[in-house]
Short mmCIF file of all heavy atoms in Angstrom, two decimals:
data_model
loop_
_atom_site.label_atom_id
_atom_site.label_comp_id
_atom_site.label_asym_id
_atom_site.label_seq_id
_atom_site.Cartn_x
_atom_site.Cartn_y
_atom_site.Cartn_z
N MET A 1 0.91 -1.21 0.00
CA MET A 1 -0.05 0.04 0.03
C MET A 1 0.95 1.16 -0.04
O MET A 1 1.94 1.30 0.65
CB MET A 1 -0.92 -0.13 1.28
CG MET A 1 -1.69 1.25 1.36
SD MET A 1 -2.91 1.10 2.75
CE MET A 1 -4.41 0.87 1.71
N LEU A 2 0.56 2.24 -0.72
CA LEU A 2 1.30 3.37 -0.85
C LEU A 2 0.91 4.41 0.21
O LEU A 2 -0.26 4.40 0.74
CB LEU A 2 0.95 4.07 -2.27
CG LEU A 2 1.44 3.41 -3.50
CD1 LEU A 2 0.97 4.17 -4.64
CD2 LEU A 2 2.94 3.26 -3.50
N GLU A 3 1.92 5.11 0.63
CA GLU A 3 1.72 6.21 1.67
C GLU A 3 2.01 7.52 0.92
O GLU A 3 3.10 7.62 0.36
CB GLU A 3 2.66 6.11 2.86
CG GLU A 3 2.40 4.91 3.71
CD GLU A 3 3.29 4.85 4.91
OE1 GLU A 3 4.24 5.71 5.11
OE2 GLU A 3 3.11 3.87 5.72
N LYS A 4 1.16 8.46 1.13
CA LYS A 4 1.29 9.78 0.49
C LYS A 4 2.02 10.80 1.56
O LYS A 4 1.24 10.77 2.72
CB LYS A 4 -0.04 10.20 -0.01
CG LYS A 4 0.11 11.57 -0.77
CD LYS A 4 -1.37 11.86 -1.32
CE LYS A 4 -1.37 12.61 -2.57
NZ LYS A 4 -2.63 12.77 -3.20
N HIS A 5 2.90 11.45 1.23
CA HIS A 5 3.46 12.45 2.07
C HIS A 5 3.69 13.69 1.37
O HIS A 5 3.99 13.77 0.24
CB HIS A 5 4.77 11.91 2.68
CG HIS A 5 4.79 10.81 3.64
ND1 HIS A 5 4.68 10.99 4.95
CD2 HIS A 5 4.72 9.54 3.31
CE1 HIS A 5 4.56 9.80 5.53
NE2 HIS A 5 4.58 8.91 4.59
N SER A 6 3.56 14.91 2.00
CA SER A 6 3.77 16.21 1.40
C SER A 6 5.36 16.55 1.61
O SER A 6 5.89 16.26 2.71
CB SER A 6 2.96 17.24 2.17
OG SER A 6 1.66 17.01 1.69
N LEU A 7 5.85 17.05 0.53
CA LEU A 7 7.22 17.54 0.67
C LEU A 7 7.31 18.99 0.20
O LEU A 7 6.45 19.47 -0.57
CB LEU A 7 8.16 16.69 -0.19
CG LEU A 7 8.32 15.19 0.04
CD1 LEU A 7 9.07 14.43 -1.03
CD2 LEU A 7 9.07 15.03 1.40
N THR A 8 8.39 19.71 0.64
CA THR A 8 8.56 21.02 0.13
C THR A 8 9.72 21.15 -0.77
O THR A 8 10.86 20.80 -0.21
CB THR A 8 8.58 22.02 1.25
OG1 THR A 8 7.32 21.87 2.01
CG2 THR A 8 8.74 23.37 0.76
N LEU A 9 9.58 21.45 -1.95
CA LEU A 9 10.94 21.45 -2.85
C LEU A 9 10.98 22.93 -3.26
O LEU A 9 10.17 23.36 -4.11
CB LEU A 9 10.69 20.61 -4.09
CG LEU A 9 10.24 19.09 -3.82
CD1 LEU A 9 10.05 18.39 -5.12
CD2 LEU A 9 11.33 18.44 -2.98
N GLN A 10 11.99 23.57 -3.01
CA GLN A 10 12.29 25.00 -3.30
C GLN A 10 10.95 25.85 -3.14
O GLN A 10 10.52 26.48 -3.92
CB GLN A 10 12.80 25.01 -4.83
CG GLN A 10 13.98 24.26 -4.88
CD GLN A 10 14.46 24.25 -6.44
OE1 GLN A 10 13.75 24.58 -7.40
NE2 GLN A 10 15.66 23.62 -6.62
N GLN A 11 10.49 25.71 -1.85
CA GLN A 11 9.40 26.43 -1.46
C GLN A 11 7.99 26.24 -2.27
O GLN A 11 7.08 26.85 -2.14
CB GLN A 11 9.56 27.99 -1.59
CG GLN A 11 10.80 28.47 -0.76
CD GLN A 11 11.07 29.95 -0.80
OE1 GLN A 11 10.54 30.56 -1.92
NE2 GLN A 11 11.77 30.51 0.02
N HIS A 12 7.99 25.00 -2.85
CA HIS A 12 6.77 24.49 -3.46
C HIS A 12 6.36 23.11 -2.82
O HIS A 12 7.17 22.16 -2.79
CB HIS A 12 7.12 24.24 -5.05
CG HIS A 12 6.06 23.62 -5.75
ND1 HIS A 12 4.85 24.25 -6.19
CD2 HIS A 12 5.87 22.31 -6.25
CE1 HIS A 12 4.27 23.38 -6.72
NE2 HIS A 12 4.76 22.21 -6.86
N ARG A 13 5.05 23.16 -2.41
CA ARG A 13 4.62 21.92 -1.84
C ARG A 13 4.20 20.84 -2.87
O ARG A 13 3.50 21.24 -3.91
CB ARG A 13 3.46 22.15 -0.89
CG ARG A 13 3.75 23.13 0.25
CD ARG A 13 4.47 22.43 1.32
NE ARG A 13 3.70 21.59 1.97
CZ ARG A 13 4.13 20.67 2.94
NH1 ARG A 13 5.31 20.62 3.23
NH2 ARG A 13 3.26 19.92 3.63
N THR A 14 4.52 19.66 -2.69
CA THR A 14 4.06 18.53 -3.53
C THR A 14 3.78 17.42 -2.76
O THR A 14 4.29 17.09 -1.62
CB THR A 14 5.19 18.21 -4.66
OG1 THR A 14 4.59 17.46 -5.68
CG2 THR A 14 6.46 17.80 -4.17
N SER A 15 3.01 16.37 -3.27
CA SER A 15 2.77 15.03 -2.62
C SER A 15 3.41 13.95 -3.42
O SER A 15 3.58 13.99 -4.61
CB SER A 15 1.29 14.84 -2.67
OG SER A 15 0.71 15.74 -1.86
N VAL A 16 4.04 13.10 -2.60
CA VAL A 16 4.79 11.89 -3.26
C VAL A 16 4.20 10.74 -2.58
O VAL A 16 4.11 10.61 -1.33
CB VAL A 16 6.22 11.99 -3.07
CG1 VAL A 16 6.92 10.72 -3.59
CG2 VAL A 16 6.79 13.14 -3.76
N SER A 17 3.84 9.66 -3.34
CA SER A 17 3.31 8.42 -2.88
C SER A 17 4.35 7.29 -3.10
O SER A 17 4.77 7.10 -4.16
CB SER A 17 2.05 8.07 -3.50
OG SER A 17 0.98 8.99 -3.21
N LEU A 18 4.68 6.73 -1.92
CA LEU A 18 5.78 5.51 -1.92
C LEU A 18 5.35 4.54 -1.01
O LEU A 18 4.45 4.81 -0.08
CB LEU A 18 7.12 6.08 -1.48
CG LEU A 18 7.78 7.17 -2.36
CD1 LEU A 18 9.09 7.58 -1.58
CD2 LEU A 18 8.19 6.61 -3.67
N GLU A 19 5.80 3.36 -1.14
CA GLU A 19 5.60 2.21 -0.32
C GLU A 19 6.26 2.61 1.06
O GLU A 19 7.33 3.21 1.08
CB GLU A 19 6.22 0.93 -0.95
CG GLU A 19 5.41 0.55 -2.10
CD GLU A 19 5.71 1.19 -3.40
OE1 GLU A 19 6.74 2.14 -3.37
OE2 GLU A 19 5.17 0.91 -4.48
N PRO A 20 5.73 2.09 2.15
CA PRO A 20 6.34 2.52 3.52
C PRO A 20 7.86 2.10 3.63
O PRO A 20 8.62 2.88 4.25
CB PRO A 20 5.51 1.54 4.49
CG PRO A 20 4.25 1.25 3.85
CD PRO A 20 4.56 1.29 2.25
N GLU A 21 8.33 1.05 2.92
CA GLU A 21 9.64 0.62 2.97
C GLU A 21 10.53 1.57 2.29
O GLU A 21 11.69 1.84 2.72
CB GLU A 21 9.81 -0.77 2.31
CG GLU A 21 9.08 -1.96 2.97
CD GLU A 21 7.60 -2.12 2.64
OE1 GLU A 21 7.05 -1.27 1.80
OE2 GLU A 21 6.95 -2.96 3.12
N PHE A 22 10.08 2.20 1.27
CA PHE A 22 10.93 3.22 0.57
C PHE A 22 10.92 4.43 1.38
O PHE A 22 12.02 5.10 1.50
CB PHE A 22 10.31 3.48 -0.90
CG PHE A 22 10.78 2.53 -2.00
CD1 PHE A 22 10.02 1.56 -2.31
CD2 PHE A 22 11.95 2.62 -2.48
CE1 PHE A 22 10.38 0.61 -3.23
CE2 PHE A 22 12.51 1.76 -3.40
CZ PHE A 22 11.60 0.75 -3.89
N TRP A 23 9.75 4.84 1.99
CA TRP A 23 9.84 6.04 2.86
C TRP A 23 10.85 5.78 3.96
O TRP A 23 11.60 6.68 4.37
CB TRP A 23 8.49 6.34 3.58
CG TRP A 23 7.58 7.11 2.57
CD1 TRP A 23 6.39 6.64 2.05
CD2 TRP A 23 7.84 8.41 2.13
NE1 TRP A 23 5.89 7.59 1.22
CE2 TRP A 23 6.64 8.71 1.25
CE3 TRP A 23 8.71 9.32 2.12
CZ2 TRP A 23 6.53 9.82 0.52
CZ3 TRP A 23 8.69 10.47 1.45
CH2 TRP A 23 7.57 10.80 0.67
N GLN A 24 10.92 4.59 4.66
CA GLN A 24 11.73 4.45 5.66
C GLN A 24 13.20 4.40 5.29
O GLN A 24 13.97 5.02 5.83
CB GLN A 24 11.47 2.98 6.35
CG GLN A 24 12.30 2.73 7.57
CD GLN A 24 12.07 3.71 8.70
OE1 GLN A 24 11.07 4.01 9.05
NE2 GLN A 24 13.22 4.34 9.14
N GLU A 25 13.51 3.90 4.16
CA GLU A 25 14.91 3.87 3.70
C GLU A 25 15.29 5.27 3.21
O GLU A 25 16.52 5.80 3.46
CB GLU A 25 15.09 2.88 2.41
CG GLU A 25 15.15 1.44 2.90
CD GLU A 25 16.30 1.16 3.94
OE1 GLU A 25 17.30 1.71 3.92
OE2 GLU A 25 15.87 0.37 4.82
N PHE A 26 14.39 6.05 2.62
CA PHE A 26 14.56 7.41 2.20
C PHE A 26 14.87 8.19 3.52
O PHE A 26 15.94 9.05 3.55
CB PHE A 26 13.34 7.88 1.58
CG PHE A 26 13.53 9.39 0.97
CD1 PHE A 26 14.58 9.53 0.02
CD2 PHE A 26 12.69 10.37 1.33
CE1 PHE A 26 14.60 10.83 -0.47
CE2 PHE A 26 12.90 11.59 0.72
CZ PHE A 26 13.71 11.95 -0.13
N ARG A 27 14.26 8.05 4.55
CA ARG A 27 14.53 8.83 5.78
C ARG A 27 15.82 8.38 6.35
O ARG A 27 16.61 9.28 6.87
CB ARG A 27 13.41 8.57 6.89
CG ARG A 27 12.12 9.23 6.56
CD ARG A 27 11.13 8.96 7.67
NE ARG A 27 9.79 9.49 7.33
CZ ARG A 27 8.89 8.52 6.97
NH1 ARG A 27 9.10 7.28 6.85
NH2 ARG A 27 7.68 9.02 6.52
N ASN A 28 16.12 7.01 6.34
CA ASN A 28 17.36 6.65 6.74
C ASN A 28 18.56 7.15 6.02
O ASN A 28 19.54 7.61 6.58
CB ASN A 28 17.54 5.05 6.69
CG ASN A 28 16.57 4.33 7.73
OD1 ASN A 28 16.22 4.91 8.62
ND2 ASN A 28 16.30 3.09 7.36
N ILE A 29 18.45 7.34 4.68
CA ILE A 29 19.51 7.92 3.88
C ILE A 29 19.75 9.41 4.14
O ILE A 29 20.79 9.87 4.35
CB ILE A 29 19.18 7.68 2.38
CG1 ILE A 29 19.24 6.18 2.04
CG2 ILE A 29 20.12 8.52 1.51
CD1 ILE A 29 18.61 5.85 0.81
N ALA A 30 18.55 10.07 4.30
CA ALA A 30 18.52 11.53 4.72
C ALA A 30 19.27 11.71 6.04
O ALA A 30 20.23 12.68 6.18
CB ALA A 30 17.22 12.09 4.71
N LYS A 31 19.01 10.88 6.94
CA LYS A 31 19.53 11.02 8.29
C LYS A 31 21.06 10.72 8.24
O LYS A 31 21.92 11.48 8.89
CB LYS A 31 18.90 9.99 9.35
CG LYS A 31 19.38 10.13 10.70
CD LYS A 31 18.63 9.28 11.69
CE LYS A 31 19.19 9.44 13.04
NZ LYS A 31 18.45 8.48 13.98
N ALA A 32 21.50 9.65 7.54
CA ALA A 32 22.87 9.37 7.30
C ALA A 32 23.62 10.48 6.70
O ALA A 32 24.89 10.63 7.00
CB ALA A 32 23.07 8.07 6.53
N ARG A 33 22.99 11.28 5.83
CA ARG A 33 23.67 12.39 5.23
C ARG A 33 23.47 13.67 6.11
O ARG A 33 23.90 14.76 5.51
CB ARG A 33 23.09 12.55 3.80
CG ARG A 33 23.28 11.47 2.85
CD ARG A 33 22.55 11.77 1.49
NE ARG A 33 23.22 10.91 0.48
CZ ARG A 33 23.29 11.38 -0.79
NH1 ARG A 33 22.80 12.55 -1.20
NH2 ARG A 33 23.73 10.44 -1.66
N ASP A 34 22.80 13.55 7.14
CA ASP A 34 22.61 14.75 8.06
C ASP A 34 21.89 15.76 7.28
O ASP A 34 22.22 17.02 7.39
CB ASP A 34 23.93 15.30 8.57
CG ASP A 34 23.71 16.16 9.80
OD1 ASP A 34 22.76 15.95 10.50
OD2 ASP A 34 24.60 17.15 10.02
N MET A 35 20.78 15.37 6.59
CA MET A 35 19.90 16.33 5.89
C MET A 35 18.41 15.87 6.12
O MET A 35 18.24 14.76 6.37
CB MET A 35 20.30 16.52 4.59
CG MET A 35 20.28 15.21 3.76
SD MET A 35 21.08 15.21 2.00
CE MET A 35 20.61 16.77 1.32
N GLY A 36 17.47 16.89 5.92
CA GLY A 36 16.18 16.57 5.95
C GLY A 36 15.70 15.95 4.69
O GLY A 36 16.30 16.00 3.64
N ILE A 37 14.46 15.26 4.76
CA ILE A 37 13.99 14.73 3.58
C ILE A 37 13.56 15.68 2.47
O ILE A 37 13.71 15.38 1.24
CB ILE A 37 12.75 13.72 3.84
CG1 ILE A 37 11.62 14.35 4.46
CG2 ILE A 37 13.37 12.46 4.76
CD1 ILE A 37 10.26 13.49 4.52
N ASN A 38 13.21 16.90 2.83
CA ASN A 38 12.92 17.85 1.83
C ASN A 38 14.10 18.31 1.06
O ASN A 38 14.10 18.40 -0.19
CB ASN A 38 12.21 19.09 2.50
CG ASN A 38 10.89 18.90 3.04
OD1 ASN A 38 10.03 18.21 2.39
ND2 ASN A 38 10.55 19.47 4.15
N ALA A 39 15.30 18.47 1.82
CA ALA A 39 16.50 18.75 1.16
C ALA A 39 16.97 17.60 0.16
O ALA A 39 17.41 17.82 -0.94
CB ALA A 39 17.53 19.11 2.12
N LEU A 40 16.90 16.45 0.67
CA LEU A 40 17.20 15.30 -0.15
C LEU A 40 16.42 15.25 -1.42
O LEU A 40 16.77 14.88 -2.46
CB LEU A 40 17.26 13.99 0.67
CG LEU A 40 17.82 12.79 -0.01
CD1 LEU A 40 19.19 12.94 -0.61
CD2 LEU A 40 17.78 11.59 0.86
N ALA A 41 14.95 15.35 -1.16
CA ALA A 41 14.04 15.30 -2.32
C ALA A 41 14.40 16.21 -3.33
O ALA A 41 14.16 16.06 -4.57
CB ALA A 41 12.67 15.36 -1.84
N THR A 42 14.72 17.53 -2.83
CA THR A 42 15.02 18.56 -3.88
C THR A 42 16.34 18.26 -4.66
O THR A 42 16.41 18.50 -5.81
CB THR A 42 15.33 19.94 -3.12
OG1 THR A 42 14.03 20.36 -2.23
CG2 THR A 42 15.75 21.17 -3.89
N GLU A 43 17.27 17.58 -3.92
CA GLU A 43 18.43 17.17 -4.69
C GLU A 43 18.10 16.21 -5.65
O GLU A 43 18.58 16.28 -6.92
CB GLU A 43 19.38 16.51 -3.63
CG GLU A 43 20.88 16.21 -4.13
CD GLU A 43 21.67 15.78 -3.04
OE1 GLU A 43 22.03 16.59 -2.17
OE2 GLU A 43 22.09 14.53 -3.06
N ILE A 44 17.22 15.25 -5.33
CA ILE A 44 16.88 14.29 -6.38
C ILE A 44 16.06 14.88 -7.41
O ILE A 44 16.26 14.54 -8.62
CB ILE A 44 16.19 13.10 -5.57
CG1 ILE A 44 16.97 12.35 -4.63
CG2 ILE A 44 15.38 12.17 -6.57
CD1 ILE A 44 16.27 11.48 -3.71
N ASP A 45 15.17 15.77 -7.05
CA ASP A 45 14.31 16.36 -8.02
C ASP A 45 15.24 17.16 -9.14
O ASP A 45 14.87 17.13 -10.28
CB ASP A 45 13.34 17.33 -7.30
CG ASP A 45 12.40 18.03 -8.32
OD1 ASP A 45 11.75 17.26 -9.08
OD2 ASP A 45 12.09 19.19 -8.19
N ASN A 46 16.22 17.86 -8.61
CA ASN A 46 17.01 18.69 -9.46
C ASN A 46 17.89 17.79 -10.44
O ASN A 46 18.22 18.22 -11.58
CB ASN A 46 18.01 19.54 -8.70
CG ASN A 46 17.19 20.65 -8.07
OD1 ASN A 46 16.15 21.07 -8.44
ND2 ASN A 46 17.85 21.15 -7.00
N ALA A 47 18.14 16.59 -10.07
CA ALA A 47 19.08 15.70 -10.90
C ALA A 47 18.26 14.76 -11.70
O ALA A 47 18.82 14.05 -12.65
CB ALA A 47 19.85 14.92 -9.86
N ARG A 48 16.94 14.70 -11.55
CA ARG A 48 16.18 13.54 -12.22
C ARG A 48 15.93 13.97 -13.73
O ARG A 48 15.94 15.14 -14.09
CB ARG A 48 14.84 13.30 -11.60
CG ARG A 48 13.87 14.33 -11.68
CD ARG A 48 12.61 14.02 -10.92
NE ARG A 48 11.74 15.19 -10.84
CZ ARG A 48 10.64 15.32 -11.49
NH1 ARG A 48 10.36 14.56 -12.44
NH2 ARG A 48 9.99 16.47 -11.27
N ASP A 49 15.79 12.98 -14.51
CA ASP A 49 15.38 13.17 -15.90
C ASP A 49 13.93 13.76 -16.00
O ASP A 49 13.06 13.23 -15.10
CB ASP A 49 15.32 11.80 -16.57
CG ASP A 49 15.06 11.87 -18.14
OD1 ASP A 49 14.07 12.46 -18.44
OD2 ASP A 49 15.85 11.35 -18.86
N PRO A 50 13.68 14.70 -16.72
CA PRO A 50 12.43 15.30 -16.82
C PRO A 50 11.18 14.39 -17.10
O PRO A 50 10.10 14.51 -16.70
CB PRO A 50 12.48 16.42 -17.80
CG PRO A 50 13.83 16.61 -18.13
CD PRO A 50 14.64 15.40 -17.63
N ASP A 51 11.60 13.27 -17.81
CA ASP A 51 10.60 12.21 -18.16
C ASP A 51 10.28 11.28 -17.00
O ASP A 51 9.47 10.42 -17.07
CB ASP A 51 11.02 11.52 -19.40
CG ASP A 51 11.13 12.39 -20.60
OD1 ASP A 51 10.19 13.23 -20.64
OD2 ASP A 51 11.85 12.01 -21.44
N THR A 52 10.98 11.40 -15.83
CA THR A 52 10.86 10.57 -14.70
C THR A 52 10.13 11.34 -13.62
O THR A 52 10.56 12.36 -13.26
CB THR A 52 12.19 9.96 -14.13
OG1 THR A 52 12.92 9.34 -15.29
CG2 THR A 52 12.06 9.06 -13.03
N ASN A 53 9.04 10.58 -13.08
CA ASN A 53 8.32 11.47 -12.01
C ASN A 53 9.12 11.30 -10.67
O ASN A 53 10.05 10.48 -10.53
CB ASN A 53 6.83 11.00 -11.81
CG ASN A 53 6.79 9.54 -11.44
OD1 ASN A 53 7.49 9.16 -10.39
ND2 ASN A 53 5.97 8.77 -12.02
N LEU A 54 8.78 12.20 -9.73
CA LEU A 54 9.65 12.29 -8.61
C LEU A 54 9.55 10.95 -7.70
O LEU A 54 10.53 10.55 -7.14
CB LEU A 54 9.16 13.48 -7.72
CG LEU A 54 9.81 13.77 -6.46
CD1 LEU A 54 11.34 13.91 -6.72
CD2 LEU A 54 9.31 14.96 -5.74
N ALA A 55 8.35 10.41 -7.65
CA ALA A 55 8.31 9.24 -6.82
C ALA A 55 9.25 8.05 -7.41
O ALA A 55 9.95 7.46 -6.68
CB ALA A 55 6.87 8.62 -6.84
N SER A 56 9.28 7.94 -8.81
CA SER A 56 10.11 6.93 -9.33
C SER A 56 11.50 7.21 -9.21
O SER A 56 12.32 6.51 -8.90
CB SER A 56 9.91 6.87 -10.91
OG SER A 56 8.55 6.26 -11.19
N ALA A 57 11.91 8.57 -9.23
CA ALA A 57 13.23 9.06 -9.03
C ALA A 57 13.72 8.73 -7.60
O ALA A 57 14.94 8.41 -7.47
CB ALA A 57 13.38 10.51 -9.41
N ILE A 58 12.84 9.00 -6.63
CA ILE A 58 13.20 8.62 -5.28
C ILE A 58 13.41 7.11 -5.15
O ILE A 58 14.33 6.73 -4.45
CB ILE A 58 12.18 9.15 -4.27
CG1 ILE A 58 12.17 10.72 -4.18
CG2 ILE A 58 12.33 8.46 -2.91
CD1 ILE A 58 11.00 11.26 -3.42
N ARG A 59 12.53 6.27 -5.77
CA ARG A 59 12.68 4.79 -5.63
C ARG A 59 14.17 4.43 -6.15
O ARG A 59 14.71 3.63 -5.62
CB ARG A 59 11.51 4.15 -6.32
CG ARG A 59 10.17 4.09 -5.60
CD ARG A 59 9.32 3.18 -6.31
NE ARG A 59 7.99 3.41 -5.73
CZ ARG A 59 7.06 4.19 -6.18
NH1 ARG A 59 7.29 4.95 -7.28
NH2 ARG A 59 5.82 4.15 -5.61
N LEU A 60 14.37 4.97 -7.34
CA LEU A 60 15.63 4.66 -7.94
C LEU A 60 16.87 5.10 -7.20
O LEU A 60 17.84 4.40 -6.99
CB LEU A 60 15.66 5.17 -9.47
CG LEU A 60 14.74 4.62 -10.43
CD1 LEU A 60 14.69 5.48 -11.64
CD2 LEU A 60 15.19 3.17 -10.59
N PHE A 61 16.69 6.27 -6.58
CA PHE A 61 17.74 6.89 -5.69
C PHE A 61 17.99 5.84 -4.52
O PHE A 61 19.10 5.47 -4.13
CB PHE A 61 17.33 8.18 -5.21
CG PHE A 61 18.33 8.65 -4.21
CD1 PHE A 61 19.44 9.41 -4.68
CD2 PHE A 61 18.09 8.64 -2.80
CE1 PHE A 61 20.40 9.86 -3.81
CE2 PHE A 61 19.05 9.19 -1.90
CZ PHE A 61 20.27 9.77 -2.41
N VAL A 62 16.86 5.39 -3.80
CA VAL A 62 16.98 4.53 -2.63
C VAL A 62 17.59 3.22 -3.16
O VAL A 62 18.47 2.71 -2.42
CB VAL A 62 15.58 4.27 -1.98
CG1 VAL A 62 15.57 3.16 -1.08
CG2 VAL A 62 15.09 5.62 -1.37
N LEU A 63 17.15 2.60 -4.31
CA LEU A 63 17.71 1.48 -4.66
C LEU A 63 19.20 1.49 -4.97
O LEU A 63 19.94 0.64 -4.50
CB LEU A 63 16.96 0.96 -6.01
CG LEU A 63 17.35 -0.38 -6.65
CD1 LEU A 63 17.23 -1.57 -5.70
CD2 LEU A 63 16.68 -0.50 -7.94
N ARG A 64 19.65 2.59 -5.62
CA ARG A 64 21.01 2.68 -5.88
C ARG A 64 21.80 2.91 -4.68
O ARG A 64 22.94 2.43 -4.60
CB ARG A 64 21.16 3.96 -6.89
CG ARG A 64 20.76 3.66 -8.28
CD ARG A 64 21.00 4.80 -9.12
NE ARG A 64 20.40 4.66 -10.44
CZ ARG A 64 19.47 5.41 -11.05
NH1 ARG A 64 19.07 6.50 -10.39
NH2 ARG A 64 18.95 5.18 -12.17
N SER A 65 21.18 3.69 -3.70
CA SER A 65 21.94 3.78 -2.42
C SER A 65 22.12 2.51 -1.69
O SER A 65 23.07 2.24 -1.15
CB SER A 65 21.22 4.77 -1.58
OG SER A 65 21.21 6.12 -2.12
N LEU A 66 21.16 1.73 -1.75
CA LEU A 66 21.19 0.38 -1.04
C LEU A 66 22.22 -0.52 -1.65
O LEU A 66 22.86 -1.30 -1.05
CB LEU A 66 19.81 -0.24 -0.86
CG LEU A 66 18.82 0.42 -0.01
CD1 LEU A 66 17.56 -0.19 -0.11
CD2 LEU A 66 19.33 0.37 1.43
N ARG A 67 22.19 -0.42 -2.98
CA ARG A 67 23.14 -1.32 -3.84
C ARG A 67 24.66 -1.00 -3.45
O ARG A 67 25.47 -1.76 -3.56
CB ARG A 67 22.97 -1.24 -5.23
CG ARG A 67 21.67 -1.94 -5.63
CD ARG A 67 21.55 -2.02 -7.14
NE ARG A 67 20.52 -2.89 -7.62
CZ ARG A 67 20.04 -2.91 -8.79
NH1 ARG A 67 20.42 -2.02 -9.74
NH2 ARG A 67 19.05 -3.74 -9.07
N ASN A 68 24.80 0.42 -3.21
CA ASN A 68 26.20 0.91 -2.99
C ASN A 68 26.66 0.79 -1.66
O ASN A 68 27.83 1.15 -1.27
CB ASN A 68 26.29 2.44 -3.40
CG ASN A 68 26.24 2.54 -4.98
OD1 ASN A 68 26.56 1.62 -5.73
ND2 ASN A 68 25.70 3.65 -5.36
N THR A 69 25.99 0.29 -0.69
CA THR A 69 26.31 0.11 0.66
C THR A 69 26.80 -1.26 0.94
O THR A 69 26.63 -2.22 0.20
CB THR A 69 25.14 0.51 1.70
OG1 THR A 69 24.06 -0.43 1.42
CG2 THR A 69 24.80 1.85 1.57
#
């Protein structure tokens, strides 16, 4: 089941729906980097392909991060 959370990206509010497991790992990665999830989401948003939605970009980021650990 997807969980919907609001994020603020460069002073713009948006909603992202992810599975609870992805939210947890996303929070863990942000904490390990000593940053908030809004800041990390903004970083991902700025780097993503325009054809990839933010939820998918976050999932791919989490997957790549887990593979690199």
